[in-house]
Amino acid sequence: AFAINFIIKKQEQKNLDSKSALGIAIVAYDNSDYENAKFQFETITAEFPNTNSASVSNYYLGKIAYDNYELNTSELYLNKYLNDHEIGILVPGTIKMLSDIAFRNNKINDAIKVLDKGIKLNLKNATNIEFKLLKAFILFKSGDLKSAQKILNNVLSEKSLSPNLKKKGEELLGMM
């Protein structure tokens, strides 16, 4: 019993330490101190692997790389986050960035697959619609007007469509 209690206490301390380190890293990120934040997030992933804090750190490392147009690095970190996330609030942003990275790398099918994965996660309705609009945009840009129009018609026929998403859909339809 003593050994089990010791292991549990050690794990609880590890989680507490990782959360504390994550808080410090996020403060640096929020203060636009990206070099410091990057260092802090990298330290968390190295010192606290397999924790929620490491997973969230992978998201932020991916976001920092994405914002610096380091798309290959960003893709690696974002995929790590997506494959082992427990905190889902960052998933929509991750899906959008991964789709954009694939699109920028002219990997149209990969961009669409990522969005389809996001749609299958069945997140909030507005998020799913955003994914569908992005998918329609990618299809449109890649020359598949018929598929893009079909998605847009389905989206625009939804009853509970917010004015913002309706406007985005109509603007995209107007581009065709």
Side-chain angles (χ1 to χ4, degrees):
F2 173 75
I4 293 172
N5 278 341
F6 177 77
I7 292 170
I8 291 171
K9 291 283 186 205
K10 191 165 177 77
Q11 185 62 36
E12 287 173 357
Q13 186 62 46
K14 181 180 173 184
N15 285 334
L16 192 62
D17 291 347
S18 72
K19 288 177 184 176
S20 176
L22 181 62
I24 292 167
I26 289 175
V27 167
Y29 181 86
D30 286 345
N31 288 331
S32 302
D33 186 359
Y34 300 119
E35 281 305 310
N36 180 24
K38 182 179 175 187
F39 174 77
Q40 298 290 337
F41 291 128
E42 288 170 341
T43 301
I44 293 166
T45 60
E47 291 185 12
F48 304 104
N50 306 315
T51 62
N52 283 341
S53 296
S55 176
V56 170
S57 292
N58 281 322
Y59 168 82
Y60 279 101
L61 287 166
K63 174 94 173 88
I64 291 168
Y66 178 84
D67 291 341
N68 288 321
Y69 302 101
E70 299 165 4
L71 301 183
N72 292 335
T73 302
S74 177
E75 185 176 22
L76 289 172
Y77 282 121
L78 292 172
N79 275 318
K80 279 184 190 177
Y81 167 75
L82 199 57
N83 291 331
D84 69 306
H85 74 280
E86 286 187 31
I87 299 170
I89 195 165
L90 303 172
V91 169
T94 302
I95 299 271
K96 290 176 188 176
M97 285 186 280
L98 284 171
S99 176
D100 184 56
I101 290 167
F103 182 72
R104 288 176 187 220
N105 288 328
N106 208 25
K107 297 178 181 174
I108 304 304
N109 288 336
D110 289 350
I112 290 170
K113 282 180 191 171
V114 170
L115 290 169
D116 285 341
K117 183 176 182 178
I119 292 166
K120 287 178 186 164
L121 290 174
N122 210 17
L123 303 168
K124 291 189 312 185
N125 191 41
T127 303
N128 281 342
I129 291 171
E130 284 184 57
F131 292 158
K132 289 175 184 176
L133 289 173
L134 282 171
K135 183 176 176 179
F137 175 77
I138 289 169
L139 289 167
F140 165 67
K141 285 295 194 179
S142 67
D144 188 351
L145 298 180
K146 189 174 183 178
S147 297
Q149 280 184 318
K150 183 178 179 184
I151 291 170
L152 285 174
N153 289 335
N154 287 338
V155 165
L156 292 172
S157 70
E158 293 210 19
K159 302 263 185 271
S160 61
L161 193 60
S162 73
N164 180 36
L165 292 175
K166 184 175 183 170
K167 182 181 176 201
K168 282 183 182 180
E170 288 171 344
E171 286 174 354
L172 186 52
L173 196 58
M175 290 169 54
M176 293 183 185

